[in-house]
Amino acid sequence: MTDEEALQQRIERILLGGSRQYTRAEVAQLTGVPPERSQALWRALGFATQDDDAAVFTDGDVRALRITSELIRGGIVDPSIATATARMIGQHMSRLAESQVHLLRGVLAANPEIGADERQLARLVEHLTPELEALQDYVWRRHLAANSVRMLVTSDEELDERRQVVGFADMVGFTTLTRRSSEAELVAVVDRFETLAADIVAENHGRIVKMLGDEVLFVADSPSDGAEIALDLLDRAEKEDGVPSLRAGLAYGRVLSRFGDIYGSVVNIAARLTSVARPGTVLVDVEMAEALRADQGYTVRTRRPVSVRGYARLRSAALRRAGEEGTSLAESAQRVAAEVLGLLDDEDEAPHIPLEPDDEATTPRRKGRRRRR
C-alpha cells in the first residue's frame, strides 16, 4: 500500500466513523432489513451498487439502516416514501458535501504546507468534521423549528388549500457572459447573484426553493411578499456591481410541495412569464395581478396575451411600485403605434411586441436587426 492510499483510507475512516468491513448480507443480518430494500435505499442516496460479497459497509451504515427500519416500523416514515425521502436527502447532502470539499481545497491552496504533510492533512479533516457537523445540525434545527411552527398547527384541509406566490428571477444575457468570461469571473458573478437572492428572499419572508445557475426559484406566502422579493431583486441587481440585469415572473395559486421542491401549473406559469419578460421588468399572472390590484403600493398594467410553450394565450400584467415611471420609451412607442392603428382600447395595455430575444431563447434572430439590450 502506497502512502497516498494509506492517507486516503485514514481520511475515509475519519469521515465514515470506521473502516469498511461488512458485506450486504452481513448488513441485512445485523439490521434485519432485506438486502433488496437496503440496496434500493443505497442507490436512492446516490451511491453506486456494490457487489454482494464486497466488504464496503461500515458501522455507520449499519446504524443508519437500523434507524431507518425503526422509523418505518414505528409509523414515522411511510414505507412507500422511504426511498423518495432517501433520494431527497442524498441529493441535498451531495451538493453540500461537494461545496465543502471545494472549501477545503481552497484552504489547502492557501496553505500548501498542510497538503504536503499527510499527518497535518489528516488532523485538519479530523478537526473540521465535527465542527461542520455541529454547524449543519444547528442550521437544520433552526429550519426545522421555523417550518414546524407553520406546518404542525395547520390542518390538512388548510394545507390542501394553501396558496403561495411562486417566482423566478434570472440573469439576462448569461449565456453570452459564459462565452466571454473566465471560470473565476463566472463563479464571482454567480456568488454575488446567490448572495443577493438569499438576502432579499429572507428579508421578505420568502424561501428559496433552489438556485439554478443563472436563475433563482422562490416562494412566498403572501402576494405582497412575493412582489417585494421580485422588485427588490431587480432594483438591487441594477445597483450591484458585477451582477447582470434581471427579469422576473410571478404566479399565485395552489402549489404542490414535495420533498423540498414544488410542482404544478403555478410553477410553470411563473417560468413562462420570466422567459418573456423584458430585462428589468416583472410580469405577473392574472391571479397575482388581482391579488395586488387593491394594494396602493403597486401598479399592475394588463398586457396582451402571449403565446408560450404550453399556453396559447397566457395573460399577464407588468408589475411596478406605485409612483415609478409607468412606461418605457419602447412601450410608449408601441402604445402610439397601436393607437394609430386602432388596436388599443382605453383600458388595454399596448400589444406585446417582443423585443429581440435573450441568448437563451430559441427564436432565431433576423439578419440585419439590431439587438436591444
Side-chain angles (χ1 to χ4, degrees):
M1 181 184 298
T2 65
D3 291 341
E4 183 178 349
E5 290 173 337
L7 176 62
Q8 290 176 348
Q9 288 193 7
R10 182 178 177 184
I11 291 177
E12 186 177 80
R13 284 196 299 270
I14 293 171
L15 295 175
L16 298 181
S19 58
R20 301 172 183 258
Q21 55 183 313
Y22 303 115
T23 65
R24 189 178 307 282
E26 289 170 336
V27 170
Q29 184 177 7
L30 290 169
T31 62
V33 177
E36 59 273 13
R37 175 174 287 277
S38 66
Q39 185 176 29
L41 292 171
W42 183 256
R43 285 198 302 264
L45 288 171
F47 304 123
T49 301
Q50 302 292 336
D51 295 335
D52 290 340
D53 57 351
V56 296
F57 300 101
T58 68
D59 287 325
D61 297 318
V62 172
R63 285 194 299 271
L65 196 55
R66 279 176 176 162
I67 292 172
T68 303
S69 178
E70 290 170 0
L71 290 174
I72 292 175
R73 284 200 299 267
I76 304 299
V77 174
D78 189 328
S80 63
I81 65 170
T83 302
T85 302
R87 187 179 302 112
M88 178 268 296
I89 294 173
Q91 290 172 356
H92 286 284
M93 287 300 178
S94 175
R95 294 181 60 191
L96 178 61
E98 182 180 5
S99 67
Q100 290 172 340
V101 170
H102 280 291
L103 178 66
L104 180 58
R105 285 176 61 88
V107 173
L108 296 179
N111 302 274
E113 69 280 1
I114 297 179
D117 188 322
E118 296 177 357
R119 283 179 292 186
Q120 284 196 57
L121 178 58
R123 283 198 297 269
L124 174 64
V125 173
E126 191 171 15
H127 173 74
L128 278 180
T129 302
E131 298 294 331
L132 291 174
E133 187 175 9
L135 179 59
Q136 289 164 196
D137 181 70
Y138 158 75
V139 176
W140 170 71
R141 287 179 179 276
R142 292 293 302 186
H143 280 292
L144 189 63
N147 283 277
S148 296
V149 170
R150 183 175 68 251
M151 300 288 286
L152 295 182
V153 299
T154 305
S155 68
D156 291 341
E157 291 183 0
E158 290 174 322
L159 283 177
D160 290 340
E161 295 299 324
R162 189 175 63 155
R163 294 158 63 82
Q164 285 187 302
V165 177
V166 176
F168 285 89
D170 70 8
M171 291 186 279
V172 178
F174 188 74
T175 300
T176 301
L177 186 65
T178 61
R179 297 193 193 110
R180 65 170 185 246
S181 303
S182 67
E183 182 177 341
E185 290 170 335
L186 286 175
V187 168
V189 171
V190 172
D191 282 347
R192 283 194 287 268
F193 173 56
E194 291 185 350
T195 300
L196 183 71
D199 289 347
I200 292 174
V201 172
E203 287 170 6
N204 293 285
H205 315 291
R207 177 175 70 85
I208 290 180
V209 178
K210 53 190 170 185
M211 302 293 304
L212 305 167
D214 64 334
E215 188 173 48
V216 58
L217 168 59
F218 61 88
V219 294
D221 289 333
S222 74
S224 59
D225 285 339
E228 282 301 310
I229 290 171
L231 292 170
D232 279 355
L233 278 171
L234 270 59
D235 290 344
R236 287 171 58 177
E238 292 298 326
K239 302 172 185 176
E240 183 79 13
D241 184 37
V243 177
S245 295
L246 305 182
R247 56 185 178 179
L250 300 174
Y252 183 49
R254 290 180 58 183
V255 180
L256 171 62
S257 298
R258 180 174 171 83
F259 299 114
D261 210 340
I262 55 175
Y263 306 89
S265 61
V266 175
V267 183
N268 296 333
I269 291 172
R272 302 296 183 269
L273 291 175
T274 306
S275 70
V276 298
R278 298 186 183 96
T281 63
V282 179
L283 292 184
V284 301
D285 74 336
V286 174
E287 295 293 330
M288 185 71 174
E290 287 301 317
L292 292 174
R293 203 171 293 278
D295 193 323
Q296 296 183 353
Y298 309 100
T299 61
V300 288
R301 295 178 63 89
T302 303
R303 305 181 68 87
R304 294 280 186 175
V306 293
S307 178
V308 295
R309 182 163 58 90
Y311 300 89
R313 288 177 58 81
L314 181 60
R315 298 166 60 197
S316 66
L319 173 68
R320 299 182 180 91
R321 286 196 175 87
E324 291 186 347
E325 183 65 27
T327 56
S328 65
L329 179 61
E331 289 174 326
S332 297
Q334 290 178 19
R335 175 173 286 276
V336 170
E339 289 174 346
V340 170
L341 295 174
L343 299 176
L344 190 63
D345 296 328
D346 290 340
E347 295 180 356
D348 284 341
E349 174 69 26
H352 177 58
I353 304 173
L355 301 181
E356 194 66 37
D358 188 27
D359 291 303
E360 288 81 351
T362 56
T363 306
R365 294 179 61 188
R366 295 180 182 175
K367 292 183 179 180
R369 188 176 180 183
R370 292 182 63 189
R371 181 177 180 184
R372 186 181 294 270
R373 296 185 181 275

